[in-house]
Amino acid sequence: MKRIGVFTSGGDAPGMNACIRAIVRAAVYHGVEVYGIHRGYKGMIKGEIYKMDSHSVSNIIQKGGTILRSARSKEFVTPEGRKMAYDQLQKFGIEGLVCIGGDGTFTGANIFFEEFGIPTVGAPGTIDNDLYGTDYTIGYDTAVNTALDAIDKIRDTADSHDRVFFIEVMGRDSGYIAMPCAVGGGAEIVMIPETETTIDEVVDTLRTGWNRSKTSFIVIVAEGDDAGNATEVAAKVQQELPHMDARVTILGHVQRGGAPTAADRMLASQLGIACVEGLLEGRKCEMAGIINGEIVYTPFIDTITKDKLINPNYLKMVNILSV
Ligand code: F6P
């Protein structure tokens, strides 16, 4: 393989740039030409494809976002869109791809290989950490630390005003971001999609704490929780506990930006190299991940269909630590 393309797709995540840098430099190191595809599959269809070299990725390891931009493409979902993307790759002589993204990105890469035989190896790039086949995804550590920093600040004002804060964190259908935020942020309650927490349970915990002379509380709500978002949960709880002064904070996209932590830079650099080397070894439709410190390649189909379970002991920890 003499020429490869690299792109980022789906939600951006801190550390994507560090990964792009590693991919480009690993390709140069192995004597392979590398082209950057802008705006994911959307840009692939439009031919937004540019040659990169070692200098193209100078001074980006510390930057959040993605220099290649990102997008979610509706056109790539159609056979016509994928044919247009294939034609563009042919035009540039690109024989293999490295993508950084999540399950949507990998699903697209799988179909693309079935239809046109273009092999892709992927790096897990999402703040959600919801991909099977790796202990951590690129961007997760940074997002958790960003959220924790905000939670610490909210705790100050919650304490000053004797308030209960319902803080919503991202994670789509997973509680991976919520869990360390709750343990590390000293929350009384964490609500995650993986386990059911009823409004009655939330009310009971708050009431018990109040009766024990606790005056401020932090409730972490994962955005995908079944009981509703933080605003809905707060409204229902407030009806039962009208004497408590409740506020809601939605941390939102602040969790997606910022300079990547050391852990994310390291992970992104390792996985970027692993993707290129995997592709050159003949791998296709696989994600490079790290499990227990070792590089592991997992078929895209498994990363998409298998669940990555959260350690149930963490929930118990929140209960014990907030007593
Ligand atoms: O997958 C990353 C993520 O930030 C999720 O946590 C969140 O649900 C979603 O993307 C938000 O997507 P958008 O950027 O399209 O608003």
Side-chain angles (χ1 to χ4, degrees):
M1 193 173 287
K2 283 280 157 237
R3 193 173 285 179
I4 65 171
V6 53
F7 65 99
T8 49
S9 173
D12 62 352
M16 279 187 164
N17 280 328
C19 194
I20 295 167
R21 173 179 178 268
I23 291 161
V24 171
R25 298 235 160 127
V28 171
Y29 179 88
H30 288 290
V32 175
E33 281 189 316
V34 57
Y35 280 71
I37 301 166
H38 288 205
R39 296 184 176 79
Y41 292 120
K42 203 173 188 175
M44 200 185 288
I45 290 169
K46 288 191 178 156
E48 292 182 42
I49 301 173
Y50 309 94
K51 185 150 178 13
M52 297 181 88
D53 60 24
S54 204
H55 299 297
S56 323
V57 290
S58 298
N59 197 27
I60 64 165
I61 193 168
Q62 78 285 13
K63 291 186 178 152
T66 157
I67 61 159
L68 294 178
R69 311 284 189 271
S70 196
R72 294 186 173 110
S73 168
K74 285 194 185 121
E75 238 180 324
F76 195 78
V77 176
T78 67
E80 297 76 26
R82 291 192 292 275
K83 173 72 172 69
M84 283 161 79
Y86 175 69
D87 289 344
Q88 291 293 349
L89 296 187
Q90 288 290 96
K91 196 166 118 191
F92 285 88
I94 293 171
E95 300 160 272
L97 295 168
V98 176
C99 65
I100 312 167
D103 49 8
T105 312
F106 299 159
T107 304
N110 249 348
I111 302 171
F112 201 48
F113 178 74
E114 278 165 24
E115 290 177 348
F116 298 105
I118 299 282
T120 303
V121 176
T126 164
I127 64 165
D128 300 336
N129 199 32
D130 57 351
L131 287 170
Y132 177 90
T134 189
D135 287 341
Y136 299 107
T137 55
I138 297 164
Y140 172 65
D141 186 66
T142 308
V144 168
N145 279 291
T146 301
L148 262 182
D149 181 54
I151 292 163
D152 288 347
K153 289 172 177 146
I154 291 167
R155 176 170 277 291
D156 290 343
T157 178
D159 188 49
S160 304
H161 287 269
D162 297 336
R163 280 176 171 158
V164 50
F165 269 85
F166 294 84
I167 304 174
E168 185 176 302
V169 297
M170 278 189 168
R172 205 179 289 274
D173 303 321
S174 124
Y176 267 100
I177 296 180
M179 198 49 91
C181 284
V183 175
E188 277 68 28
I189 300 163
V190 59
M191 303 174 74
I192 58 169
E194 290 86 346
T195 54
E196 194 195 352
T197 312
T198 64
I199 297 296
D200 285 348
E201 284 168 325
V202 177
V203 168
D204 272 0
T205 306
L206 294 177
R207 189 179 280 131
T208 307
W210 184 268
N211 292 340
R212 281 199 201 132
S213 307
K214 263 198 181 192
T215 52
S216 68
F217 302 84
I218 301 287
V219 181
I220 303 293
V221 185
E223 65 175 351
D225 191 72
D226 289 344
N229 60 33
T231 310
E232 290 159 352
V233 171
K236 288 177 201 163
V237 171
Q238 185 83 85
Q239 271 185 353
E240 302 298 317
L241 301 170
H243 57 287
M244 289 181 95
D245 194 8
R247 292 290 185 277
V248 175
T249 303
I250 298 164
L251 296 184
H253 287 78
V254 70
Q255 295 159 99
R256 287 250 293 267
T261 58
D264 269 330
R265 295 180 203 195
M266 189 67 190
L267 179 69
S269 301
Q270 285 176 283
L271 294 182
I273 294 170
C275 282
V276 173
E277 294 188 341
L279 195 59
L280 298 183
E281 280 162 15
R283 292 183 183 276
K284 46 188 91 70
C285 299
E286 287 180 55
M287 181 191 85
I290 296 186
I291 299 177
N292 294 330
E294 299 290 333
I295 298 281
V296 176
Y297 295 92
T298 304
F300 282 155
I301 193 70
D302 288 349
T303 70
I304 299 159
T305 54
K306 292 190 176 171
D307 287 334
K308 183 156 108 185
L309 303 174
I310 290 193
N311 185 342
N313 288 335
Y314 293 159
L315 266 183
K316 197 174 160 199
M317 278 175 78
V318 174
N319 294 337
I320 292 174
L321 295 174
S322 64
V323 91

